[in-house]
Amino acid sequence: MPQLYINTIGCQMNVYDSDQIERALAPNGYSRTNQLEDADLVIVNTCAIRAKAEQKAFSFVGRLARLKARKPGLIVGVGGCVAQQEGERILARAPQVDLVFGPKAIPRLARLVERVRVQRLRVVDIEDTEGIEELDLSSGFRDDGQVARFVTIMQGCDNFCTYCVVPYVRGREASRHPDHILAEIRMLAAGGVREVTLLGQNVNSYGQKEKLGTFAELLTGVDQIDGLDRIRFTTSHPKDLSDGLIDAFGRLDKLCPHIHLPVQSGSDRVLKRMNRQYTRAVYLERIARLRQVRPDMAITTDFIVGFPGESDADFEQTLGLIETVGFDGVFAFMYSDRSVAPASGFKGQIDDAQKKERLQRLLQQQEVFTLSSNRALIGREQEVLVEGFSTRPGLAEENTPHRQWSGRTPGNKIVNFNQDPDCAAEDAVRPGLMVGVRIEKAYSHSLWGRPIWVEEEPGGLKGDTCHAA
Ligand code: SAM
Ligand code: SF4
Protein backbone atom coordinates (compact mmCIF):
# COMPACT_ATOMS: atom_id res chain seq x y z
CA MET A 1 0.00 0.00 0.00
CA PRO A 2 1.44 3.47 -0.86
CA GLN A 3 2.06 5.57 2.24
CA LEU A 4 0.88 9.15 2.84
CA TYR A 5 2.61 11.49 5.30
CA ILE A 6 0.87 14.78 6.15
CA ASN A 7 2.56 17.63 8.01
CA THR A 8 -0.20 19.86 9.41
CA ILE A 9 0.70 23.44 10.29
CA GLY A 10 -1.75 25.95 11.77
CA CYS A 11 -5.25 25.92 13.19
CA GLN A 12 -7.87 23.26 13.97
CA MET A 13 -9.36 23.80 10.52
CA ASN A 14 -6.13 22.50 9.01
CA VAL A 15 -6.25 19.47 11.34
CA TYR A 16 -9.72 18.74 9.98
CA ASP A 17 -8.58 19.39 6.39
CA SER A 18 -5.69 16.95 6.84
CA ASP A 19 -8.19 14.25 7.80
CA GLN A 20 -10.19 15.17 4.68
CA ILE A 21 -7.01 14.88 2.57
CA GLU A 22 -6.48 11.40 3.98
CA ARG A 23 -10.08 10.51 3.23
CA ALA A 24 -9.91 11.98 -0.30
CA LEU A 25 -6.86 9.84 -1.09
CA ALA A 26 -8.20 6.58 0.35
CA PRO A 27 -9.64 5.53 -3.07
CA ASN A 28 -6.08 5.80 -4.51
CA GLY A 29 -4.99 3.23 -1.94
CA TYR A 30 -2.95 5.60 0.26
CA SER A 31 -2.73 4.84 3.94
CA ARG A 32 -1.43 7.40 6.43
CA THR A 33 1.92 6.97 8.12
CA ASN A 34 3.69 8.89 10.90
CA GLN A 35 7.09 7.99 9.44
CA LEU A 36 8.28 10.55 6.90
CA GLU A 37 10.96 8.17 5.55
CA ASP A 38 8.29 5.58 4.63
CA ALA A 39 6.16 8.00 2.59
CA ASP A 40 5.44 7.76 -1.13
CA LEU A 41 3.43 10.98 -0.99
CA VAL A 42 4.21 13.87 1.40
CA ILE A 43 1.73 16.69 1.82
CA VAL A 44 2.40 19.89 3.75
CA ASN A 45 -0.87 21.46 4.85
CA THR A 46 0.18 25.08 5.30
CA CYS A 47 -0.96 28.14 7.24
CA ALA A 48 -0.52 31.77 6.11
CA ILE A 49 -1.96 33.59 9.12
CA ARG A 50 1.42 34.80 10.40
CA ALA A 51 4.83 35.02 8.69
CA LYS A 52 6.30 32.44 11.11
CA ALA A 53 3.84 29.73 10.02
CA GLU A 54 4.67 30.41 6.39
CA GLN A 55 8.41 30.16 7.08
CA LYS A 56 7.84 26.86 8.88
CA ALA A 57 6.16 25.46 5.76
CA PHE A 58 8.98 26.52 3.42
CA SER A 59 11.64 25.19 5.75
CA PHE A 60 9.91 21.76 5.80
CA VAL A 61 9.56 21.81 1.99
CA GLY A 62 13.28 22.63 1.80
CA ARG A 63 14.13 19.53 3.85
CA LEU A 64 12.07 17.39 1.45
CA ALA A 65 14.55 18.11 -1.38
CA ARG A 66 17.06 15.78 0.32
CA LEU A 67 14.45 13.04 0.83
CA LYS A 68 13.39 13.28 -2.82
CA ALA A 69 17.00 13.03 -3.99
CA ARG A 70 17.21 9.68 -2.16
CA LYS A 71 13.73 8.59 -3.25
CA PRO A 72 13.05 9.92 -6.79
CA GLY A 73 9.52 8.45 -6.97
CA LEU A 74 8.40 10.54 -3.99
CA ILE A 75 5.51 12.92 -4.72
CA VAL A 76 5.54 16.22 -2.80
CA GLY A 77 2.34 18.26 -2.44
CA VAL A 78 1.79 21.67 -0.84
CA GLY A 79 -1.77 22.39 0.27
CA GLY A 80 -3.59 24.89 2.49
CA CYS A 81 -3.47 28.67 2.70
CA VAL A 82 0.12 29.29 1.56
CA ALA A 83 -0.58 27.11 -1.50
CA GLN A 84 -3.68 29.17 -2.28
CA GLN A 85 -1.78 32.43 -1.79
CA GLU A 86 1.41 31.54 -3.70
CA GLY A 87 0.16 29.09 -6.39
CA GLU A 88 2.65 28.66 -9.28
CA ARG A 89 5.32 30.64 -7.40
CA ILE A 90 5.85 27.59 -5.17
CA LEU A 91 6.78 25.47 -8.19
CA ALA A 92 9.32 28.09 -9.26
CA ARG A 93 10.77 28.38 -5.76
CA ALA A 94 10.88 24.65 -4.91
CA PRO A 95 11.71 22.22 -7.77
CA GLN A 96 11.01 19.25 -5.47
CA VAL A 97 7.29 20.20 -5.31
CA ASP A 98 5.00 18.31 -7.74
CA LEU A 99 1.59 19.52 -6.65
CA VAL A 100 0.14 22.77 -5.26
CA PHE A 101 -3.51 22.78 -4.21
CA GLY A 102 -5.75 25.17 -2.25
CA PRO A 103 -8.21 24.17 0.52
CA LYS A 104 -11.08 23.99 -1.99
CA ALA A 105 -9.24 21.46 -4.18
CA ILE A 106 -9.27 18.69 -1.53
CA PRO A 107 -12.29 16.90 -3.08
CA ARG A 108 -10.35 16.85 -6.41
CA LEU A 109 -7.13 15.55 -4.84
CA ALA A 110 -7.43 11.92 -5.96
CA ARG A 111 -7.40 12.99 -9.62
CA LEU A 112 -4.65 15.59 -9.11
CA VAL A 113 -2.30 13.07 -7.48
CA GLU A 114 -2.99 10.56 -10.27
CA ARG A 115 -2.03 13.17 -12.89
CA VAL A 116 1.27 13.74 -11.11
CA ARG A 117 1.94 10.03 -10.61
CA VAL A 118 0.98 8.73 -14.06
CA GLN A 119 1.86 11.66 -16.34
CA ARG A 120 4.75 12.98 -14.17
CA LEU A 121 3.33 16.49 -14.55
CA ARG A 122 3.66 19.33 -12.07
CA VAL A 123 0.12 20.40 -11.21
CA VAL A 124 -1.46 23.51 -9.61
CA ASP A 125 -5.12 23.72 -8.54
CA ILE A 126 -6.03 26.87 -6.62
CA GLU A 127 -9.41 27.44 -8.25
CA ASP A 128 -11.70 29.38 -5.91
CA THR A 129 -14.93 27.50 -6.65
CA GLU A 130 -18.17 28.84 -5.20
CA GLY A 131 -19.93 27.00 -2.36
CA ILE A 132 -18.76 23.77 -0.77
CA GLU A 133 -18.07 20.48 -2.52
CA GLU A 134 -18.76 17.62 -0.09
CA LEU A 135 -16.54 14.57 0.16
CA ASP A 136 -18.18 11.19 -0.10
CA LEU A 137 -18.62 9.91 3.46
CA SER A 138 -19.21 6.30 2.45
CA SER A 139 -15.53 5.48 2.92
CA GLY A 140 -16.06 6.26 6.62
CA PHE A 141 -13.22 7.58 8.75
CA ARG A 142 -10.12 5.94 10.12
CA ASP A 143 -10.70 5.14 13.78
CA ASP A 144 -7.41 6.22 15.30
CA GLY A 145 -8.78 6.17 18.83
CA GLN A 146 -9.46 9.92 19.06
CA VAL A 147 -12.44 10.59 21.29
CA ALA A 148 -12.69 14.32 20.51
CA ARG A 149 -12.72 15.50 16.91
CA PHE A 150 -13.17 18.64 14.81
CA VAL A 151 -15.93 19.10 12.25
CA THR A 152 -15.78 22.07 9.88
CA ILE A 153 -19.26 23.53 9.38
CA MET A 154 -18.35 26.48 7.16
CA GLN A 155 -15.48 27.77 5.09
CA GLY A 156 -14.05 31.19 4.27
CA CYS A 157 -14.85 34.55 5.78
CA ASP A 158 -16.59 37.77 4.73
CA ASN A 159 -15.39 39.99 7.56
CA PHE A 160 -12.15 41.40 6.16
CA CYS A 161 -10.45 42.35 9.39
CA THR A 162 -7.68 44.59 8.14
CA TYR A 163 -4.80 42.40 9.42
CA CYS A 164 -6.11 39.03 8.23
CA VAL A 165 -5.34 36.84 5.20
CA VAL A 166 -8.27 34.45 5.65
CA PRO A 167 -10.78 36.09 3.26
CA TYR A 168 -8.07 36.16 0.57
CA VAL A 169 -6.87 32.58 0.94
CA ARG A 170 -10.02 30.77 2.09
CA GLY A 171 -12.47 32.74 -0.05
CA ARG A 172 -15.97 33.96 0.72
CA GLU A 173 -17.96 32.51 3.60
CA ALA A 174 -19.95 29.38 2.71
CA SER A 175 -21.82 27.00 5.04
CA ARG A 176 -22.21 23.24 4.73
CA HIS A 177 -25.73 21.87 4.62
CA PRO A 178 -26.90 20.77 8.10
CA ASP A 179 -27.81 17.30 6.74
CA HIS A 180 -24.15 16.71 5.78
CA ILE A 181 -22.86 18.01 9.10
CA LEU A 182 -25.28 15.92 11.17
CA ALA A 183 -24.58 12.78 9.10
CA GLU A 184 -20.84 13.24 9.65
CA ILE A 185 -21.24 13.70 13.42
CA ARG A 186 -23.57 10.70 13.66
CA MET A 187 -20.91 8.61 11.91
CA LEU A 188 -18.22 9.88 14.30
CA ALA A 189 -20.41 9.23 17.37
CA ALA A 190 -21.20 5.71 16.14
CA GLY A 191 -17.42 5.15 15.90
CA GLY A 192 -16.84 6.13 19.54
CA VAL A 193 -16.25 9.89 19.31
CA ARG A 194 -17.79 11.58 22.36
CA GLU A 195 -16.91 15.22 21.76
CA VAL A 196 -17.03 17.40 18.65
CA THR A 197 -15.79 20.93 18.10
CA LEU A 198 -17.67 22.68 15.30
CA LEU A 199 -15.32 24.87 13.28
CA GLY A 200 -15.74 28.04 11.27
CA GLN A 201 -14.15 31.49 11.17
CA ASN A 202 -17.40 33.00 12.39
CA VAL A 203 -19.76 30.22 13.42
CA ASN A 204 -22.35 32.74 14.64
CA SER A 205 -23.21 33.61 11.06
CA TYR A 206 -23.57 29.93 10.07
CA GLY A 207 -26.22 29.34 7.40
CA GLN A 208 -27.34 32.97 7.11
CA LYS A 209 -26.26 33.53 3.51
CA GLU A 210 -27.66 30.24 2.21
CA LYS A 211 -30.74 30.37 4.51
CA LEU A 212 -29.86 27.03 6.06
CA GLY A 213 -31.13 27.97 9.53
CA THR A 214 -29.25 29.51 12.43
CA PHE A 215 -26.21 28.24 14.28
CA ALA A 216 -28.34 27.79 17.42
CA GLU A 217 -30.65 25.50 15.39
CA LEU A 218 -27.69 23.48 14.13
CA LEU A 219 -26.46 23.09 17.73
CA THR A 220 -29.91 21.87 18.75
CA GLY A 221 -29.71 19.16 16.06
CA VAL A 222 -26.20 18.12 17.17
CA ASP A 223 -27.33 18.01 20.80
CA GLN A 224 -29.81 15.26 19.86
CA ILE A 225 -27.20 12.86 18.45
CA ASP A 226 -27.01 9.63 20.46
CA GLY A 227 -23.62 8.68 21.81
CA LEU A 228 -22.28 12.22 21.63
CA ASP A 229 -21.69 13.83 25.04
CA ARG A 230 -19.96 17.13 24.48
CA ILE A 231 -20.24 19.92 21.91
CA ARG A 232 -17.84 22.83 21.54
CA PHE A 233 -17.39 25.40 18.80
CA THR A 234 -14.85 27.91 17.57
CA THR A 235 -14.59 30.68 16.52
CA SER A 236 -17.29 33.10 17.53
CA HIS A 237 -17.12 36.68 16.31
CA PRO A 238 -18.33 39.08 19.03
CA LYS A 239 -20.28 41.23 16.54
CA ASP A 240 -22.56 38.30 15.64
CA LEU A 241 -22.92 36.63 19.04
CA SER A 242 -26.72 36.56 19.15
CA ASP A 243 -29.00 36.21 22.17
CA GLY A 244 -30.28 32.98 20.56
CA LEU A 245 -26.80 31.47 20.68
CA ILE A 246 -26.17 32.70 24.23
CA ASP A 247 -29.48 31.15 25.31
CA ALA A 248 -28.40 27.83 23.77
CA PHE A 249 -25.79 27.59 26.56
CA GLY A 250 -28.62 27.51 29.08
CA ARG A 251 -30.77 25.14 27.03
CA LEU A 252 -28.53 22.45 25.54
CA ASP A 253 -27.15 19.82 27.94
CA LYS A 254 -24.24 18.78 25.75
CA LEU A 255 -22.99 22.28 24.96
CA CYS A 256 -19.89 22.77 27.11
CA PRO A 257 -19.68 25.92 29.24
CA HIS A 258 -16.73 27.39 27.37
CA ILE A 259 -16.55 30.08 24.71
CA HIS A 260 -13.55 31.30 22.77
CA LEU A 261 -14.47 34.89 21.90
CA PRO A 262 -11.52 36.70 20.28
CA VAL A 263 -11.48 40.38 21.19
CA GLN A 264 -8.08 41.32 19.62
CA SER A 265 -7.78 44.68 21.45
CA GLY A 266 -9.28 46.59 24.38
CA SER A 267 -9.13 49.92 22.56
CA ASP A 268 -12.06 51.16 20.47
CA ARG A 269 -9.67 53.13 18.28
CA VAL A 270 -7.68 49.99 17.42
CA LEU A 271 -10.82 47.85 17.02
CA LYS A 272 -12.08 50.37 14.46
CA ARG A 273 -8.80 50.29 12.52
CA MET A 274 -8.94 46.49 12.62
CA ASN A 275 -12.50 46.64 11.17
CA ARG A 276 -13.79 44.40 13.96
CA GLN A 277 -17.24 46.09 13.94
CA TYR A 278 -17.85 46.04 17.71
CA THR A 279 -16.75 48.21 20.59
CA ARG A 280 -15.25 47.33 23.94
CA ALA A 281 -18.63 48.14 25.56
CA VAL A 282 -20.47 45.72 23.24
CA TYR A 283 -17.91 43.01 23.98
CA LEU A 284 -18.31 43.51 27.75
CA GLU A 285 -22.09 43.47 27.45
CA ARG A 286 -21.95 40.10 25.59
CA ILE A 287 -19.65 38.67 28.29
CA ALA A 288 -22.06 39.81 31.01
CA ARG A 289 -24.97 38.19 29.18
CA LEU A 290 -23.04 34.90 28.76
CA ARG A 291 -22.24 34.84 32.48
CA GLN A 292 -25.87 35.55 33.30
CA VAL A 293 -26.91 32.42 31.39
CA ARG A 294 -23.98 30.25 32.58
CA PRO A 295 -22.20 31.62 35.65
CA ASP A 296 -19.61 28.81 35.32
CA MET A 297 -18.75 29.77 31.71
CA ALA A 298 -15.02 29.62 30.92
CA ILE A 299 -14.05 32.49 28.61
CA THR A 300 -10.92 32.58 26.48
CA THR A 301 -9.83 35.06 23.84
CA ASP A 302 -7.23 36.13 21.24
CA PHE A 303 -5.25 39.38 21.31
CA ILE A 304 -3.01 40.98 18.72
CA VAL A 305 -0.36 43.30 20.14
CA GLY A 306 1.52 45.91 18.15
CA PHE A 307 -1.16 46.48 15.51
CA PRO A 308 -0.06 49.47 13.34
CA GLY A 309 -0.72 52.69 15.23
CA GLU A 310 -1.35 51.00 18.61
CA SER A 311 -0.26 53.63 21.17
CA ASP A 312 0.81 53.06 24.78
CA ALA A 313 -2.63 54.28 25.83
CA ASP A 314 -4.35 51.77 23.49
CA PHE A 315 -2.25 48.97 24.91
CA GLU A 316 -3.06 50.03 28.49
CA GLN A 317 -6.74 49.65 27.56
CA THR A 318 -6.04 46.09 26.45
CA LEU A 319 -4.41 45.36 29.82
CA GLY A 320 -7.41 46.99 31.49
CA LEU A 321 -9.79 44.71 29.58
CA ILE A 322 -7.91 41.66 30.86
CA GLU A 323 -8.52 42.92 34.44
CA THR A 324 -12.18 43.67 33.76
CA VAL A 325 -13.09 40.35 32.15
CA GLY A 326 -10.80 37.96 34.05
CA PHE A 327 -10.31 35.56 31.13
CA ASP A 328 -9.65 31.88 31.84
CA GLY A 329 -6.95 31.90 29.17
CA VAL A 330 -5.71 33.95 26.23
CA PHE A 331 -3.80 33.42 23.00
CA ALA A 332 -1.76 36.52 22.23
CA PHE A 333 0.12 37.22 19.02
CA MET A 334 2.48 39.93 17.84
CA TYR A 335 1.00 41.61 14.78
CA SER A 336 2.47 39.96 11.71
CA ASP A 337 2.51 42.01 8.55
CA ARG A 338 0.74 40.21 5.68
CA SER A 339 1.21 42.02 2.39
CA VAL A 340 -2.20 40.94 1.05
CA ALA A 341 -4.07 42.50 4.02
CA PRO A 342 -4.84 46.25 4.12
CA ALA A 343 -3.10 46.88 7.49
CA SER A 344 0.19 46.19 5.73
CA GLY A 345 -0.10 49.66 4.21
CA PHE A 346 -1.17 51.41 7.45
CA LYS A 347 0.98 54.10 9.02
CA GLY A 348 2.56 53.57 12.43
CA GLN A 349 4.08 50.09 12.00
CA ILE A 350 5.55 49.06 15.35
CA ASP A 351 9.02 47.59 15.72
CA ASP A 352 9.56 44.02 16.88
CA ALA A 353 11.22 44.97 20.17
CA GLN A 354 8.16 46.95 21.25
CA LYS A 355 5.78 44.19 20.10
CA LYS A 356 7.77 41.66 22.14
CA GLU A 357 7.74 43.89 25.21
CA ARG A 358 3.95 44.32 24.97
CA LEU A 359 3.43 40.61 24.44
CA GLN A 360 5.45 39.82 27.58
CA ARG A 361 3.50 42.35 29.65
CA LEU A 362 0.18 41.03 28.41
CA LEU A 363 1.08 37.41 29.13
CA GLN A 364 2.38 38.29 32.60
CA GLN A 365 -0.82 40.15 33.40
CA GLN A 366 -2.96 37.24 32.17
CA GLU A 367 -0.96 34.61 34.07
CA VAL A 368 -2.48 35.86 37.34
CA PHE A 369 -6.02 35.33 36.03
CA THR A 370 -5.32 31.95 34.44
CA LEU A 371 -3.86 30.71 37.70
CA SER A 372 -6.66 32.11 39.79
CA SER A 373 -9.36 30.58 37.57
CA ASN A 374 -7.54 27.23 37.78
CA ARG A 375 -7.08 27.54 41.55
CA ALA A 376 -10.80 28.18 41.97
CA LEU A 377 -11.33 24.53 40.97
CA ILE A 378 -9.16 23.10 43.77
CA GLY A 379 -11.26 20.83 45.98
CA ARG A 380 -13.99 20.54 43.34
CA GLU A 381 -14.98 17.46 41.37
CA GLN A 382 -14.66 17.80 37.59
CA GLU A 383 -15.97 15.44 34.95
CA VAL A 384 -12.99 14.67 32.71
CA LEU A 385 -13.21 13.03 29.28
CA VAL A 386 -10.02 10.95 29.08
CA GLU A 387 -8.13 11.58 25.82
CA GLY A 388 -4.92 9.61 26.43
CA PHE A 389 -1.70 9.61 28.40
CA SER A 390 -0.32 12.93 29.57
CA THR A 391 2.65 14.30 27.65
CA ARG A 392 3.65 16.44 30.63
CA PRO A 393 6.25 14.97 32.98
CA GLY A 394 4.65 14.64 36.42
CA LEU A 395 6.05 16.65 39.30
CA ALA A 396 7.93 14.63 41.90
CA GLU A 397 5.06 14.34 44.34
CA GLU A 398 2.68 13.23 41.57
CA ASN A 399 4.96 10.53 40.22
CA THR A 400 3.86 7.03 41.04
CA PRO A 401 4.54 3.77 39.24
CA HIS A 402 1.26 4.40 37.42
CA ARG A 403 1.09 6.42 34.22
CA GLN A 404 -0.56 9.81 34.14
CA TRP A 405 -3.78 10.16 32.20
CA SER A 406 -4.94 13.37 30.58
CA GLY A 407 -8.32 14.78 29.62
CA ARG A 408 -10.40 17.93 29.64
CA THR A 409 -13.10 19.41 31.86
CA PRO A 410 -16.33 20.78 30.35
CA GLY A 411 -14.67 24.23 30.65
CA ASN A 412 -11.83 22.93 28.42
CA LYS A 413 -9.16 22.85 31.12
CA ILE A 414 -6.56 20.08 30.91
CA VAL A 415 -6.59 17.70 33.88
CA ASN A 416 -3.86 15.13 34.54
CA PHE A 417 -4.32 12.35 37.05
CA ASN A 418 -2.67 9.12 38.04
CA GLN A 419 -4.62 5.96 37.79
CA ASP A 420 -5.31 5.07 41.39
CA PRO A 421 -4.83 1.39 42.21
CA ASP A 422 -7.35 1.76 45.04
CA CYS A 423 -9.98 2.98 42.60
CA ALA A 424 -11.64 0.38 40.38
CA ALA A 425 -9.60 -2.21 38.53
CA GLU A 426 -6.05 -1.37 37.45
CA ASP A 427 -7.15 -1.12 33.84
CA ALA A 428 -10.43 0.71 34.49
CA VAL A 429 -9.34 4.02 32.94
CA ARG A 430 -9.05 4.29 29.18
CA PRO A 431 -9.49 6.96 26.51
CA GLY A 432 -13.14 7.72 25.84
CA LEU A 433 -14.32 7.24 29.42
CA MET A 434 -15.51 9.99 31.74
CA VAL A 435 -13.72 10.09 35.06
CA GLY A 436 -14.71 12.15 38.08
CA VAL A 437 -11.55 13.86 39.31
CA ARG A 438 -11.18 15.84 42.53
CA ILE A 439 -8.80 18.72 41.70
CA GLU A 440 -5.87 19.04 44.09
CA LYS A 441 -3.36 21.23 42.27
CA ALA A 442 -3.54 24.09 39.79
CA TYR A 443 -0.82 25.19 37.38
CA SER A 444 -0.83 27.75 34.56
CA HIS A 445 -1.68 25.28 31.81
CA SER A 446 -3.21 22.33 33.61
CA LEU A 447 -4.79 20.92 36.74
CA TRP A 448 -3.93 17.79 38.67
CA GLY A 449 -6.24 15.65 40.77
CA ARG A 450 -7.31 12.24 42.01
CA PRO A 451 -9.94 10.06 40.36
CA ILE A 452 -13.12 9.62 42.39
CA TRP A 453 -15.12 7.49 39.98
CA VAL A 454 -14.60 5.92 36.59
CA GLU A 455 -17.39 5.32 34.11
CA GLU A 456 -17.86 1.59 33.52
CA GLU A 457 -18.43 2.04 29.79
CA PRO A 458 -18.95 5.10 27.55
CA GLY A 459 -22.23 6.71 28.52
CA GLY A 460 -22.68 4.07 31.23
CA LEU A 461 -22.97 4.16 35.00
CA LYS A 462 -20.42 5.70 37.29
CA GLY A 463 -18.19 2.87 38.46
CA ASP A 464 -16.32 2.52 41.73
CA THR A 465 -16.38 5.44 44.09
CA CYS A 466 -12.99 5.57 45.72
CA HIS A 467 -12.53 8.66 47.82
CA ALA A 468 -14.98 10.39 50.10
CA ALA A 469 -16.94 12.75 47.87
N1 SAM B 1 -11.97 34.09 12.79
C1 SAM B 1 -11.40 34.27 14.06
C2 SAM B 1 -11.84 35.61 14.63
O1 SAM B 1 -12.30 36.47 13.95
O2 SAM B 1 -11.62 35.80 15.79
C3 SAM B 1 -9.90 34.24 14.04
C4 SAM B 1 -9.20 33.32 13.16
S1 SAM B 1 -7.48 33.54 13.03
C5 SAM B 1 -7.13 32.09 12.20
C6 SAM B 1 -6.88 33.23 14.65
C7 SAM B 1 -6.21 34.40 15.31
O3 SAM B 1 -5.01 34.73 14.65
C8 SAM B 1 -6.98 35.70 15.32
O4 SAM B 1 -7.97 35.73 16.31
C9 SAM B 1 -5.90 36.73 15.55
O5 SAM B 1 -5.72 36.97 16.92
C10 SAM B 1 -4.67 36.04 14.97
N2 SAM B 1 -4.22 36.73 13.74
C11 SAM B 1 -4.85 36.81 12.55
N3 SAM B 1 -4.13 37.53 11.68
C12 SAM B 1 -3.01 37.93 12.33
C13 SAM B 1 -1.88 38.72 11.98
N4 SAM B 1 -1.76 39.26 10.77
N5 SAM B 1 -0.92 38.91 12.91
C14 SAM B 1 -1.03 38.39 14.15
N6 SAM B 1 -2.08 37.63 14.54
C15 SAM B 1 -3.06 37.42 13.64
FE1 SF4 C 1 -9.82 36.83 9.83
FE2 SF4 C 1 -11.52 38.58 10.86
FE3 SF4 C 1 -12.41 36.60 9.31
FE4 SF4 C 1 -11.51 36.08 11.77
S1 SF4 C 1 -13.30 37.32 11.25
S2 SF4 C 1 -11.02 34.99 9.89
S3 SF4 C 1 -9.87 37.53 11.98
S4 SF4 C 1 -11.11 38.28 8.67
Side-chain angles (χ1 to χ4, degrees), residues 49 156-168 200-202 235 237 239 262 264 274-276 302 304:
I49 204 89
C157 184
D158 288 347
N159 287 319
F160 292 93
C161 301
T162 53
Y163 50 81
C164 186
V165 296
V166 169
Y168 308 96
Q201 295 300 348
N202 180 14
T235 304
H237 194 302
K239 82 176 166 61
Q264 314 299 357
M274 287 177 163
N275 189 30
R276 288 294 286 181
D302 290 346
I304 295 178

Side-chain angles (χ1 to χ4, degrees), residues 370-382 409 413 415 437-444 446-450:
T370 309
L371 257 178
S372 98
S373 86
N374 286 352
R375 284 190 182 134
L377 294 176
I378 291 179
R380 291 180 37 195
E381 179 188 323
Q382 293 287 296
T409 66
K413 293 183 192 284
V415 175
V437 179
R438 169 140 357 266
I439 304 303
E440 294 193 354
K441 292 187 186 132
Y443 306 107
S444 304
S446 64
L447 300 159
W448 186 82
R450 285 182 197 281

Side-chain angles (χ1 to χ4, degrees), residues 125-137:
D125 183 346
I126 52 169
E127 199 187 328
D128 185 8
T129 43
E130 239 182 68
I132 294 182
E133 201 180 323
E134 289 284 339
L135 266 182
D136 179 9
L137 279 184

